[in-house]
């Protein structure tokens, strides 16, 4: 079946603008994760969803970052008033207990804030 | 809290030579351990994982890793590398009572002909 998909693959925006990044998990996967991969910081956990609820938001770097998940499927990560330090690759992953909780990653969205 | 240290940011090696990528972790609770690979312009792919049982874990593409609890290490090895193994390798841990992965900073393996 299809893997995790993310859109857009690339996003260039101006400082101060809001952006939305989308993640489509593998069908049937109840858990969904957002990570950020940036130079000098490596891969950082941002937020985790189980169904539509987010029991762990501990990695969100500021209140400019938010995420939601609807229908236990698609998730949107929103960054408000983007800053240059938000430039990174944003990765989404999904998992299910039936698959041993292995996290399957999408190709990522490369965000560049000018 | 957990942390992961990958001591080598880059490892150059010639084709058909053996390689070891080092990973050490720190955690106050028991953890699961993972190695992921990221080929150029691609997403992360799971190479192997240690959940329990035998401390020697075999993964895809001929890679293996050994969990050493006393040294808190989970080094990745391959006896003979190929050009196609050129990629970024990430070690990660997950505490048994959580779902999030904590990653190391990655090791770039560059295989030369």
């Amino acid at each position: 079946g299809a893997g995790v998909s993310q859109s857009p693959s690339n996003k260039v925006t101006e400082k101060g603008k809001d952006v939305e990044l989308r993640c489509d998990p593998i069908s049937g996967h109840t858990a969904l994760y957002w990570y950020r991969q940036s130079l000098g910081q490596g891969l950082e956990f941002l937020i985790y969803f189980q169904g539509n609820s987010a029991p762990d938001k501990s990695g969100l770097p500021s209140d400019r970052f938010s995420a939601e998940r609807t229908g236990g499927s698609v998730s949107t990560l929103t960054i408000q008033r983007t800053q240059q330090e938000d430039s990174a690759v944003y990765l989404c992953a999904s998992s299910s207990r039936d698959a041993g909780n292995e996290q399957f990653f999408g190709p990522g969205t490369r965000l560049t804030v000018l | 809290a957990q942390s992961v240290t990958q001591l080598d940011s880059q490892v150059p090696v010639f084709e058909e030579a053996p390689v070891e990528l080092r990973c050490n972790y720190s955690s106050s609770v028991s953890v699961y351990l993972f190695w992921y690979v990221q080929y150029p312009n691609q997403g992360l792919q799971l190479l192997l994982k240690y959940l329990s049982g035998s401390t020697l874990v075999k993964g895809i593409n001929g890679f293996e890793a050994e969990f050493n609890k006393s040294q808190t290490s989970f080094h990745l090895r391959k006896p003979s590398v190929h050009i196609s193994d050129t990629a970024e390798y990430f070690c990660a841990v997950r505490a048994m009572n959580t779902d999030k992965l904590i990653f190391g900073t990655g090791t770039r393996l560059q295989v030369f002909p």
Side-chain angles (χ1 to χ4, degrees):
Chain A
V4 178
S5 61
Q6 293 185 245
S7 61
S9 56
N10 280 283
K11 176 72 177 179
V12 180
T13 190
E14 293 179 348
K15 179 182 172 182
K17 302 274 189 177
D18 297 352
V19 295
E20 286 189 350
L21 312 180
R22 176 186 169 108
C23 172
D24 279 273
I26 293 172
S27 177
H29 279 196
T30 55
L32 186 147
Y33 313 79
W34 283 99
Y35 295 87
R36 179 169 71 172
Q37 185 176 21
S38 53
L39 287 174
Q41 297 293 325
L43 272 155
E44 306 169 276
F45 166 81
L46 297 178
I47 186 170
Y48 151 64
F49 287 91
Q50 184 62 249
N52 291 336
S53 64
D56 191 344
K57 306 179 184 179
S58 62
L60 294 178
S62 76
D63 58 8
R64 296 186 295 104
F65 287 72
S66 63
E68 64 175 14
R69 189 180 185 196
T70 55
S73 182
V74 172
S75 175
T76 302
L77 177 69
T78 301
I79 309 173
Q80 295 178 308
R81 306 181 302 282
T82 52
Q83 303 294 313
Q84 288 183 331
E85 61 263 28
D86 299 334
S87 296
V89 176
Y90 290 82
L91 294 169
C92 176
S94 69
S95 71
S96 78
R97 299 203 185 280
D98 293 342
N101 282 337
E102 176 184 340
Q103 293 186 26
F104 293 83
F105 283 79
T109 293
R110 181 175 296 279
L111 174 66
T112 303
V113 181
L114 301 177
Chain B
Q2 294 77 46
S3 67
V4 179
T5 301
Q6 291 184 246
L7 296 167
D8 305 302
S9 59
Q10 295 189 63
V11 173
V13 64
F14 286 109
E15 194 173 20
E16 298 183 4
V19 70
E20 178 179 83
L21 306 183
R22 296 181 292 170
C23 172
N24 288 85
Y25 69 93
S26 172
S27 177
S28 57
V29 299
S30 295
V31 295
Y32 302 121
L33 296 148
F34 306 82
W35 275 98
Y36 283 84
V37 60
Q38 186 175 36
Y39 297 104
N41 300 314
Q42 294 187 29
L44 288 166
Q45 180 181 0
L46 182 67
L47 263 182
L48 49 78
K49 60 187 176 186
Y50 172 77
L51 303 181
S52 65
S54 173
T55 57
L56 183 63
V57 180
K58 294 189 183 297
I60 61 172
N61 301 339
F63 283 93
E64 64 180 32
E66 185 153 23
F67 170 53
N68 187 318
K69 189 174 183 178
S70 62
Q71 296 186 3
T72 61
S73 68
F74 191 53
H75 300 332
L76 181 71
R77 302 186 185 99
K78 186 169 182 178
S80 176
V81 294
H82 300 127
I83 297 284
S84 59
D85 292 323
T86 294
E88 188 95 21
Y89 291 81
F90 293 92
C91 181
V93 301
R94 176 164 69 86
M96 290 185 180
N97 59 350
T98 70
D99 289 88
K100 66 185 181 187
L101 290 168
I102 305 299
F103 286 89
T105 50
T107 296
R108 174 156 179 75
L109 175 64
Q110 180 75 51
V111 182
F112 295 95

